[in-house]
Amino acid sequence: MLIDKAVGFLPQGLRQGFENIPRDELIKAEELRLRAGQSASLSVNSREIPVGEGVVTQSELETVLERATDASVHTVQSSIAQGYLNIEGGIRIGLCGTAVICDNKISGIRELSSLAIRIPHECKGCAENELMSILEDGLSDILIISPPGGGKTTCLREYIRVLSDMGNRVSVADERGELAAVKNGVPQFDIGRHSDVLSGGKKADMAMMMLKCMSPQIIAMDEISSIEDMEAVYAVSGCGVKVLATAHAGSIDELYSHKAYRDILKSSIFKYCLVIENKNGVRSYCAERLA
Amino acid sequence: MKLTGSIFVIAAALLLGIGKARELKLHRDTLREMISFLTVLNGEIVQNLSPYGKILDRLNRDNYMHMSGFIDGLSEALRASDDRSFSEKWSDCVTASLGVLAEDERLELTELSNSLGRFDSTLQSKAIMRAKAGLEAKLVELDATLRERQKLYIAFSTGAGLILTIVLC
């Protein structure tokens, strides 16, 4: 299981604490949190539970990074410069430390201070009723929103699977490798029989490439946030392709308070918005038709 | 009988000298291969951003005569899922497979290991180039005196054999 893989990256001292946690609790983990000078913790249902007695050292954080990259941290330095790295199976490690600046850009992170090891989960059937009610109007452009850690990516992956298995050609622009976690060309997650995945590049570039090369009916993108992402959404939506995307926001009102999202909402590209709420670990889904 | 004995003693001493001279050559050749290994390692890390597993596979195919034990050992250690860091694995392989190198040369390589595996390509490259420069200086020194030292070993051991023969006779 992915949680075992994630715990396997930890040095012996830290691993012990996680191995002592009951199995049924451990498999629910959304994240392992390691902060230098603090005890390690396990994030379950968006709440952090302290693990073990000792404190995490900076050297232990470096060991985790070394293990996660097979002692080849240099191979992922461009990803580290963006604050994260992806591991086999869709596990993502977020990093904090001291940013290294080169030519006014962050070129790396040294002196690590914290790591967030995120464990992806498949949730077949989640928000299925909402999707079915949206599909009553035909295939639509859908924006899935929630605050960070709310389950957007899991929900998007499920929608990709369902729509793909219905016979729609879905092109997935998987920038961080979290949606499909492709290994040796094969997605590690079930994303449906008619899905094509392009990973590793910028979402906007990949969406345009797939639009030209894969004749998709739906293009899926996780976490649209930059101006380039928005431009890609404008570009593909005007070409007869439906867009399935996620964005960080707690509500539709919050979306309107963000200039880039406000513009895209006003352009009426997205017909539906699926709002995910997470209260004490219980997720609720609400599909709203956008004006 | 005495003549046969004398010949045996002198031959044994000569062989001892030749063995020592060969050891010196082996030391020089291993050092030379290590420098070449570090050059390739640096290139793969800086230009191709290759992972260590792939770099070692490539180096394994390059037919290093004297470094093969080190490369094999490190490849195997990298594949093993134990709690040792890459630095520890590298140091263990230096100790186990590069005994022919001098103590200070092994120390140079062990110190290099502290910078490998967990840093970006710039930092690793700097450390590799520093270690390489140190080993190149040793190689120049070794090359300059190799012939003389080889001759000295052979002459000294043959002389010692002769003296022993005279004493015994």
Side-chain angles (χ1 to χ4, degrees):
Chain A
M1 286 187 86
L2 288 174
I3 183 69
D4 299 316
K5 198 173 182 63
V7 171
F9 296 143
L10 308 179
Q12 176 67 34
L14 291 177
R15 202 162 58 223
Q16 195 79 50
F18 286 92
E19 283 168 352
N20 291 339
I21 293 173
R23 185 78 189 160
D24 54 342
E25 191 77 10
L26 194 62
I27 57 171
K28 287 186 209 156
E30 291 153 359
E31 283 181 341
L32 313 185
R33 288 267 178 178
L34 308 173
R35 299 181 180 94
Q38 303 288 332
S39 60
S41 63
L42 188 72
S43 178
V44 182
N45 295 335
S46 304
R47 291 172 66 182
E48 286 193 30
I49 305 162
V51 176
E53 287 168 4
V55 295
V56 177
T57 64
Q58 193 181 57
S59 164
E60 285 174 322
L61 298 180
E62 285 172 352
T63 302
V64 172
L65 200 57
E66 182 186 317
R67 289 204 180 155
T69 59
D70 283 333
S72 303
V73 173
H74 58 278
T75 59
V76 290
Q77 59 192 47
S78 61
S79 174
I80 288 178
Q82 294 179 60
Y84 72 94
L85 67 110
N86 275 326
I87 314 295
E88 210 180 291
I91 297 173
R92 189 177 82 187
I93 303 184
L95 309 105
C96 276
T98 307
V100 181
I101 308 292
C102 185
D103 296 332
N104 289 327
K105 281 183 181 170
I106 296 177
S107 64
I109 296 176
R110 285 182 189 157
E111 294 172 3
L112 294 175
S113 57
S114 9
L115 297 180
I117 307 175
R118 182 179 279 200
I119 322 292
H121 292 271
E122 268 184 317
C123 184
K124 289 192 175 173
C126 79
E128 201 172 355
N129 293 338
E130 286 73 15
L131 178 63
M132 292 309 152
S133 70
I134 290 171
L135 291 178
E136 281 172 10
D137 287 351
L139 205 54
S140 283
D141 302 86
I142 306 168
L143 184 64
I144 301 168
I145 62 166
S146 87
K152 291 180 297 295
T153 305
T154 307
C155 187
L156 175 63
R157 191 186 298 125
E158 178 58 8
Y159 277 18
I160 292 169
R161 183 187 71 80
V162 172
L163 291 169
S164 172
D165 282 343
M166 282 176 167
N168 300 296
R169 281 190 306 278
V170 185
S171 285
V172 183
D174 194 7
E175 183 173 332
R176 295 178 171 183
E178 283 183 293
L179 280 170
V182 174
K183 184 188 172 192
N184 299 327
V186 181
Q188 303 299 294
F189 290 115
D190 184 0
I191 52 161
R193 291 191 304 274
H194 303 100
S195 297
D196 304 297
V197 186
L198 187 58
S199 48
K202 294 263 181 206
K203 278 188 285 284
D205 298 339
M206 294 191 295
M208 295 313 292
M209 277 172 73
M210 287 191 290
L211 178 69
K212 289 174 192 164
C213 310
M214 302 306 290
S215 53
Q217 290 164 301
I218 300 169
I219 287 187
M221 289 183 269
D222 196 15
E223 291 180 15
I224 51 165
S225 53
S226 68
I227 301 295
E228 293 83 41
D229 298 341
M230 304 300 167
E231 281 170 1
V233 171
Y234 285 121
V236 298
S237 66
C239 300
V241 175
K242 300 296 175 194
V243 180
L244 200 52
T246 67
H248 285 295
S251 64
I252 295 175
D253 287 344
E254 266 186 42
L255 269 183
Y256 274 104
S257 67
H258 189 298
K259 189 186 178 305
Y261 292 138
R262 187 168 58 237
D263 292 346
I264 214 159
L265 290 177
K266 279 184 180 168
S267 69
S268 300
I269 289 172
F270 291 103
K271 303 288 182 297
Y272 283 93
C273 184
L274 182 82
V275 185
I276 307 175
E277 278 188 38
N278 185 352
K279 280 183 186 159
N280 300 324
V282 180
R283 287 186 173 84
S284 60
Y285 304 91
C286 176
E288 292 187 35
R289 193 183 171 93
L290 296 168
Chain B
M1 200 64 179
K2 271 186 183 174
L3 182 67
T4 315
S6 306
I7 290 168
F8 271 124
V9 170
I10 292 168
L14 181 64
L15 284 175
L16 210 67
I18 291 171
K20 204 71 189 157
R22 276 191 179 167
E23 215 172 89
L24 266 182
K25 188 175 174 296
L26 182 66
H27 177 186
R28 195 267 314 263
D29 292 347
T30 309
L31 200 52
R32 197 172 273 173
E33 279 195 357
M34 178 49 92
I35 291 165
S36 147
F37 172 91
L38 292 178
T39 309
V40 175
L41 185 68
N42 186 55
E44 288 286 342
I45 288 174
V46 175
Q47 284 158 23
N48 300 336
L49 298 177
S50 306
Y52 274 99
K54 278 196 177 162
I55 299 174
L56 292 171
D57 282 349
R58 189 226 138 148
L59 287 163
N60 240 335
R61 289 195 300 271
D62 281 355
N63 292 328
Y64 281 89
M65 273 176 68
H66 311 293
M67 292 277 297
S68 59
F70 174 77
I71 297 170
D72 283 345
L74 194 56
S75 299
E76 212 167 286
L78 196 62
R79 279 193 295 270
S81 52
D82 54 33
D83 266 331
R84 286 180 302 160
S85 66
F86 183 68
S87 165
E88 287 168 325
K89 289 173 180 177
W90 172 287
S91 299
D92 289 349
C93 289
V94 167
T95 311
S97 312
L98 297 175
V100 67
L101 296 183
E103 185 65 39
D104 55 346
E105 291 156 0
R106 287 203 302 270
L107 191 67
E108 185 96 59
L109 290 168
T110 309
E111 277 173 10
L112 165 65
S113 75
N114 294 327
S115 305
L116 299 180
R118 53 171 65 182
F119 298 109
D120 62 24
S121 56
T122 314
L123 272 177
Q124 291 193 70
S125 175
K126 273 184 190 165
I128 293 170
M129 296 317 280
R130 196 170 45 240
K132 190 182 153 197
L135 295 181
E136 275 171 342
K138 305 269 180 209
L139 180 65
V140 169
E141 207 176 288
L142 197 61
D143 264 338
T145 57
L146 182 74
R147 284 255 170 248
E148 285 159 27
R149 284 171 72 186
Q150 277 182 319
K151 280 179 192 166
L152 192 72
Y153 275 129
I154 293 169
F156 185 76
S157 55
T158 312
L162 272 171
I163 292 166
L164 188 64
T165 310
I166 293 164
V167 171
L168 289 175
C169 289

